[in-house]
């Protein structure tokens, strides 16, 4: 399967602080949640731009203050023809059978382009705003039941009953199914419970955005667990990219972004807003986030292309930094260890030069991935020939 | 005042979204072989003001269908039918507000508190009996506060507890006029009176409609509020009244027995066991096909009846069951909508002259 390049979709125009170029670039990282107006025209343009730029899919992230995921996804999908839309869906706020049908309805309406990313909800406070007062341990156990029912609703040929700790259903059955359930459901979570859920019910596992070695270990862990259930998953890595014509320039840009975000955050008004939302923002209580936070506390740079300098400051995950060739090679390293889906976030197109850099990066990643696929196919073929010769 | 003429967004296209659609061909009866986007655009072109995405067909999700329909049209309003109890009210409210913002205020919602054919237990909702009514009241209160409140709020009830709930996304133009609720129990009427803007009436006789309007408006006045009224129902049209009656009898026979009998208790609706009531209200079609009773007649006859309901206070009328796929039905529908609007304008003029 070819490499999948994924963007992120937004329902609101990002606030821009200041008019110069670095401020505009930093605005992506400094963006603050708040009651900005959502706009259908913006979502539609955003989705069309991503499709036109060559993205295969786009994620819409959520929390308790976000616009409704299915509506945003419907807007994005109805404006495009090939782009897949990944709706992050918070587990536990809706009956899982109902949520499953909402997802299936959207998948059918869009000709099979809907995907769903199940999430636990990043903070307790976020869940309480929506009336979910369970402890984290309880939320994990509930998520297992939820994912089980979500999947069963979309696959069971017969009406089914279920009696769990959190859910009881009688005679559940859906007439509406996704065009194909394979590859539709993703999940992230590095705790044992998270890996267990993904291994049993997800098709795609979202790795924490860590350096190569840690990522390979995590993939190994999930792969073993999934194999125990006779399942094979695909892997998705969500990261930002900071591109410039040369490596030095890209690294310099990364450092300038840090300074600019710091400057933006120092303004009085923003300090006030940030204090009021700090809990959502940099203190997500998942283990994956904790690991990335530790990483960023230790070093800003790992192996020259992996930058965590913006993480503590903004709550964003790490970035890959470099020229198109260097960045493409860094992405391909992950592709080699099994990351087939890559988010390429944080790439504002402010002018033709940005677009050229991005096009170049996409071209190099895609051709590199195709070459890796060809080498694998060839190795596979020689192995089989060797076996049959023996 | 004017009247909101409402279509029903159930169509073959919705059923076609389901794998199992073939098992139940009579469900495909209305709408033609069109996509959801095509159906809603057609309804807009035919002159409807709004359309309602109803839940029972093929278990498609009404909110998602509503979202999709809103993206496909420019002017028409889309009502999503929302069952209470299968989602957190704050989240459902934000979903509704999102549809409103994305559609520039064309989204509306109907809150349903009664259970529907075992769907609730199938979706893990085990609350039954008296408790359902109490829960529905809490749900509607939180739903409305999430949309209204300018400040984060807490709520501690028997069924729901929220802390610091707040939505930055609000319906365009405010909540007023967007939330409908129906039902004839005391608790359902109380819910509509306190938390809804529109009371949804079943397809029933003039007399019973008048009684229900009075009961709901009295309850609303006690809460210091006023309600609008929305009458559900189908129509069967032909050139003449007798041709329409023949057509209705034929449709009832074709439709066969109820597959998905969502028809509420008939005694409760003031309907008799006769097939016909009030000359133009055909009940047999509901009894056999699980659909609301139909107003049957020439465009002039049906328009006169809807105008009579308008005089009672009905400002939203569903014109369901319309098959716009034939040229003849299109022409009759055009005539009906024009005739209703003409009569309503006349009544408004008369009222302002008096």
């Amino acid at each position: 399967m070819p490499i999948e390049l994924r963007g992120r979709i937004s329902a609101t125009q990002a606030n821009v602080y200041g008019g110069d170029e670095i401020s505009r670039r930093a605005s992506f990282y400094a963006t603050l949640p708040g009651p900005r107006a959502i706009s259908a025209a913006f979502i539609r343009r955003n989705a069309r731009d991503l499709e036109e730029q060559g993205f295969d899919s786009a994620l819409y992230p959520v929390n308790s203050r976000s616009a409704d995921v299915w509506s945003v996804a419907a807007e994005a999908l109805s404006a495009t023809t090939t782009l897949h839309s990944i709706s992050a869906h918070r587990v536990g706020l809706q009956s899982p059978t109902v949520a499953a049908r909402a997802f299936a309805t959207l998948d059918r309406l869009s000709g099979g382009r809907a995907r769903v990313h199940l999430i636990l909800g990043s903070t307790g406070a976020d869940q309480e705003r929506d009336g979910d007062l369970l402890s984290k341990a309880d939320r994990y156990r509930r998520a297992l039941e939820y994912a089980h029912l979500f999947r069963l609703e979309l696959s069971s040929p017969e009406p089914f009953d279920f009696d769990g700790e959190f859910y009881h259903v009688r005679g559940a059955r859906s007439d509406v199914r996704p065009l194909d359930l394979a590859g539709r459901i993703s999940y992230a979570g590095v705790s044992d419970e998270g890996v267990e859920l993904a291994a049993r019910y997800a098709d795609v596992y979202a790795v924490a955005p860590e350096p190569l070695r840690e990522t390979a270990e995590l993939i190994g862990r999930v792969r073993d667990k999934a194999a125990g259930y006779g399942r094979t998953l695909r892997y998705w890595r969500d990261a930002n990219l900071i591109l410039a014509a040369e490596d030095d320039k890209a690294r310099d840009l990364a450092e300038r972004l840090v300074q600019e975000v710091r400057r933006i955050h120092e303004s009085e008004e923003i300090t006030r807003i940030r204090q009021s939302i700090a809990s959502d923002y940099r203190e997500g209580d998942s283990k994956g986030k904790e690991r990335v936070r530790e990483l960023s506390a230790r070093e800003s740079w790992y192996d020259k292309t992996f930058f965590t300098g913006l993480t503590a400051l903004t709550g964003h995950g790490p970035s890959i930094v470099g020229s198109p060739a260097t960045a493409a090679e860094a992405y391909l390293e992950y592709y080699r260890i099994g990351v087939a889906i890559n988010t390429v976030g944080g790439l504002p197109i402010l002018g033709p030069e940005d677009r050229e850099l991005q096009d170049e990066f996409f071209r190099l990643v895609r051709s590199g991935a195709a070459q890796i696929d060809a080498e694998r196919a060839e190795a596979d073929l020689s192995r089989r020939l060797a076996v049959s010769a023996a | 005042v004017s009247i909101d003429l409402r279509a029903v967004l159930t169509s073959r296209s919705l059923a076609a979204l389901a794998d199992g659609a073939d098992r139940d061909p009579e469900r495909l009866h209305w709408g033609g072989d069109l996509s959801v986007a095509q159906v809603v655009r057609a309804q807009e072109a035919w002159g409807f003001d709004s359309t309602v995405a109803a839940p029972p067909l093929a278990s498609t999700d009404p909110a998602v269908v509503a979202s999709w329909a809103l993206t496909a049209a420019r002017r028409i309003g889309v009502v999503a039918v929302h069952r209470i109890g299968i989602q957190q009210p704050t989240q459902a409210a934000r979903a509704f507000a999102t549809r409103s913002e994305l559609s520039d205020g064309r989204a509306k919602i109907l809150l349903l508190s009664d259970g529907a054919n075992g769907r609730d237990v199938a979706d893990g909702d085990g609350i039954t009996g008296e408790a359902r009514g109490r829960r529905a009241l809490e749900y509607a209160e939180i739903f409305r506060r999430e949309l209204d409140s300018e400040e984060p709020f807490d709520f501690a009830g028997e069924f729901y507890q929220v802390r610091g709930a707040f939505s930055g996304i609000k319906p365009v133009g405010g909540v007023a006029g967007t939330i409908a609720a129906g039902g004839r129990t005391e608790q359902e009427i109380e819910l509509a009176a306190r938390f809804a803007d529109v009371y949804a009436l079943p397809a029933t006789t003039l007399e019973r409609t008048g009684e229900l309007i009075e009961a709901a408006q009295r309850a609303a006045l006690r809460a210091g509020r006023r309600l609008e009224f929305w009458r559900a129902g189908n129509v069967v049209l032909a050139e003449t009244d007798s041709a329409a009656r023949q057509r209705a009898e034929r449709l009832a026979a074709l439709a066969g027995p109820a597959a998905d009998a969502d028809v509420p208790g008939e005694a409760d609706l003031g309907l008799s066991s006769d097939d016909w009531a009030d000359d133009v209200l055909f009940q047999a079609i509901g009894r056999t096909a699980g659909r609301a009773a139909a107003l049957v007649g020439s465009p002039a006859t049906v328009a006169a009846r809807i105008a009579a309901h308008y005089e009672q206070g009905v400002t939203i009328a569903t014109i369901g069951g319309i098959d716009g796929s034939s040229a003849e039905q299109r022409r009759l529908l055009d005539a009906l909508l024009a005739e209703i609007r003409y009569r309503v304008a006349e009544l408004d003029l008369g009222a302002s002259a008096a």
Side-chain angles (χ1 to χ4, degrees):
Chain A
M1 204 173 285
I3 193 165
E4 176 176 334
L5 299 175
R6 181 167 289 183
R8 295 202 201 96
I9 208 151
S10 168
T12 54
Q13 185 92 51
N15 290 329
V16 173
Y17 306 96
D20 57 341
E21 191 197 317
I22 191 71
S23 302
R24 291 171 71 194
R25 290 190 193 282
S27 295
F28 168 79
Y29 294 96
T31 295
L32 299 163
R36 287 173 294 146
I38 56 170
S39 147
F42 181 73
I43 297 167
R44 298 177 81 81
R45 197 172 64 236
N46 194 187
R48 284 199 191 109
D49 285 350
L50 289 170
E51 185 171 86
E52 192 270 325
Q53 286 163 31
F55 283 96
D56 302 299
S57 56
L59 168 75
Y60 177 61
V62 289
N63 62 28
S64 73
R65 297 174 192 232
S66 308
D68 171 51
V69 283
W70 306 123
S71 307
V72 172
E75 204 69 63
L77 288 166
S78 69
T80 51
T81 53
T82 60
L83 192 76
H84 292 177
S85 166
I86 296 87
S87 303
H89 173 73
R90 291 157 70 214
V91 159
L93 303 179
Q94 193 172 12
S95 155
T97 50
V98 174
R101 291 200 301 278
F103 161 67
T105 302
L106 188 63
D107 192 65
R108 286 276 167 165
L109 286 167
S110 64
R113 294 186 289 128
R115 304 286 181 273
V116 63
H117 181 53
L118 301 180
I119 56 175
L120 276 188
S122 61
T123 68
D126 212 30
Q127 293 300 106
E128 286 181 3
R129 278 195 274 279
D130 281 320
D132 179 17
L133 308 185
L134 288 187
S135 71
K136 189 147 178 242
D138 289 343
R139 277 197 273 143
Y140 266 119
R141 289 202 313 286
R142 182 183 59 186
L144 272 175
E145 288 186 12
Y146 193 97
H148 175 75
L149 285 167
F150 192 99
R151 208 173 175 96
L152 200 56
E153 176 80 359
L154 300 179
S155 54
S156 172
E158 297 299 327
F160 62 91
D161 296 345
F162 177 84
D163 281 297
E165 182 184 352
F166 301 93
Y167 298 105
H168 304 270
V169 306
R170 289 283 169 278
R173 184 184 178 287
S174 177
D175 292 325
V176 60
R177 306 278 169 95
L179 279 180
D180 185 351
L181 188 53
R184 292 296 198 269
I185 303 173
S186 61
Y187 189 76
V190 299
S191 65
D192 289 342
E193 299 94 325
V195 170
E196 170 83 11
L197 188 153
R200 289 170 66 181
Y201 303 114
D203 309 295
V204 173
Y205 179 82
V207 299
E210 296 177 293
L212 210 55
R213 187 172 53 84
E214 287 82 351
T215 305
E217 278 168 18
L218 181 55
I219 289 178
R221 225 176 109 207
V222 178
R223 191 174 274 155
D224 289 349
K225 194 77 177 172
Y229 293 104
R231 306 185 73 242
T232 310
L233 306 187
R234 296 174 78 213
Y235 296 87
W236 164 29
R237 182 173 184 279
D238 186 275
N240 293 319
L241 175 58
I242 297 173
L243 273 184
E246 286 145 32
D247 290 348
D248 287 350
K249 282 189 180 156
R251 291 167 61 93
D252 180 54
L253 174 59
E255 297 288 2
R256 283 195 298 136
L257 284 171
V258 171
Q259 285 163 24
E260 184 61 17
V261 170
R262 207 165 266 148
R263 191 189 67 77
I264 292 170
H265 285 175
E266 273 163 10
S267 87
E268 205 176 311
E269 186 202 350
I270 288 168
T271 305
R272 187 173 51 76
I273 301 171
R274 288 180 82 234
Q275 275 161 357
S276 73
I277 57 166
S279 59
D280 300 3
Y281 196 62
R282 285 163 302 169
E283 296 161 19
D285 60 4
S286 82
K287 220 170 199 155
K289 290 211 172 86
E290 200 178 295
R291 278 167 60 154
V292 171
R293 268 203 299 275
E294 283 167 17
L295 211 60
S296 75
R298 279 202 303 276
E299 296 283 347
S300 283
W301 289 97
Y302 290 79
D303 58 28
K304 288 197 174 177
T305 56
F306 188 99
F307 183 57
T308 63
L310 285 156
T311 300
L313 200 55
T314 65
H316 271 275
S319 303
I320 298 284
V321 180
S323 66
T326 302
E329 189 42 48
Y331 270 81
L332 290 170
E333 292 284 346
Y334 288 97
Y335 188 65
R336 285 194 190 90
I337 62 167
V339 178
I341 305 170
N342 280 280
T343 300
V344 183
L347 269 188
I349 307 285
L350 301 183
E353 199 201 347
D354 284 337
R355 184 56 200 270
E356 280 162 28
L357 289 170
Q358 193 203 305
D359 286 349
E360 176 71 356
F361 167 76
F362 270 37
R363 195 182 59 73
L364 291 170
V365 170
R366 289 204 193 277
S367 63
Q371 199 180 335
I372 292 167
D373 291 347
E375 283 163 15
R376 275 187 192 149
E378 201 176 321
D380 194 41
L381 185 65
S382 340
R383 201 165 40 241
R384 274 188 280 147
L385 287 174
V387 169
S388 61
Chain B
V1 192
S2 71
I3 194 161
D4 179 332
L5 298 177
R6 186 163 284 176
V8 181
L9 189 61
T10 59
S11 70
R12 179 180 298 217
S13 62
L14 283 189
L17 295 175
D19 293 335
D22 295 345
R23 283 195 309 270
D24 202 355
E26 64 92 9
R27 281 184 169 180
L28 310 184
H29 187 55
W30 281 315
D33 191 12
L34 298 169
S35 74
V36 168
Q38 286 170 315
V39 170
V40 72
R41 280 189 201 121
Q43 290 175 340
E44 183 168 273
W46 296 341
F48 282 105
D49 302 296
S50 57
T51 187
V52 52
L57 202 59
S59 62
T60 50
D61 183 73
V64 171
V65 170
S67 285
W68 196 262
L70 284 165
T71 70
R74 288 287 157 264
R75 180 185 56 77
I76 202 169
V78 180
V79 188
V81 177
H82 177 71
R83 284 156 60 206
I84 284 177
I86 51 177
Q87 188 173 13
Q88 287 300 113
T90 47
Q91 194 195 36
R94 283 199 307 283
F96 166 62
T98 302
R99 290 197 295 279
S100 177
E101 282 217 15
L102 293 180
S103 66
D104 209 9
R106 291 182 291 126
K108 300 200 164 24
I109 194 159
L110 169 65
L111 301 180
L112 275 192
S113 52
D114 55 341
N117 291 334
R119 274 172 191 273
D120 294 297
V121 282
D123 286 325
D125 179 10
I127 307 276
T128 53
E130 283 273 303
R132 279 190 84 82
R134 294 200 307 278
R135 180 184 61 180
L137 278 171
E138 283 188 15
Y139 190 99
E141 179 168 355
I142 298 170
F143 188 95
R144 197 170 183 101
R145 280 179 78 179
E146 179 85 1
L147 299 175
D148 251 345
S149 177
E150 295 297 331
E151 300 284 326
F153 66 93
D154 296 347
F155 182 95
E158 180 184 353
F159 301 93
Y160 298 104
Q161 290 87 36
V162 302
R163 290 182 202 145
F166 178 74
S167 173
I169 301 164
K170 305 284 190 203
V172 174
V175 192
T178 61
I179 304 175
R184 290 169 304 281
T185 67
E186 220 170 285
Q187 246 161 352
E188 286 168 322
I189 289 177
E190 187 195 340
L191 186 155
R194 289 174 58 197
F195 304 115
D197 310 291
V198 176
Y199 180 69
L201 297 155
T204 182
T205 58
L206 276 170
E207 186 189 354
R208 183 70 180 131
T209 302
E211 289 166 9
L212 288 168
I213 288 178
E214 207 191 309
Q217 201 63 284
R218 252 204 318 268
L221 287 174
R222 275 198 299 274
R225 307 179 74 244
R226 284 194 73 81
L227 288 167
E228 278 188 80
F229 294 91
W230 165 21
R231 182 189 186 277
N234 293 312
V235 301
V236 177
L237 296 175
E239 208 63 63
T240 62
D241 289 349
S242 63
R245 287 176 77 104
Q246 280 172 23
R247 184 161 188 266
E249 305 269 8
R250 210 167 53 240
L251 282 174
L254 272 178
D260 194 357
D262 277 339
V263 200
E266 295 191 347
D268 197 17
L269 287 179
L271 297 179
S272 65
S273 59
D274 298 337
D275 285 352
W276 292 88
D278 280 8
D279 298 331
V280 295
L281 186 67
F282 185 52
Q283 309 171 63
I285 200 161
R287 205 172 294 135
T288 58
R291 297 198 176 89
L295 292 174
V296 178
S298 67
T301 300
V302 173
R305 175 53 57 93
I306 288 172
H309 284 301
Y310 180 76
E311 282 190 279
Q312 294 181 304
V314 171
T315 54
I316 305 166
T318 303
I319 313 288
I322 284 290
D323 176 356
S325 58
S326 83
E328 195 210 350
Q329 286 293 311
R330 282 284 305 284
R331 196 170 45 71
L332 292 166
L333 175 64
D334 280 348
L336 173 68
L337 298 187
E339 182 76 22
I340 295 171
R341 291 198 201 281
Y342 177 76
R343 283 171 184 268
V344 162
E346 245 186 359
L347 288 168
D348 286 350
L349 273 178
S352 63

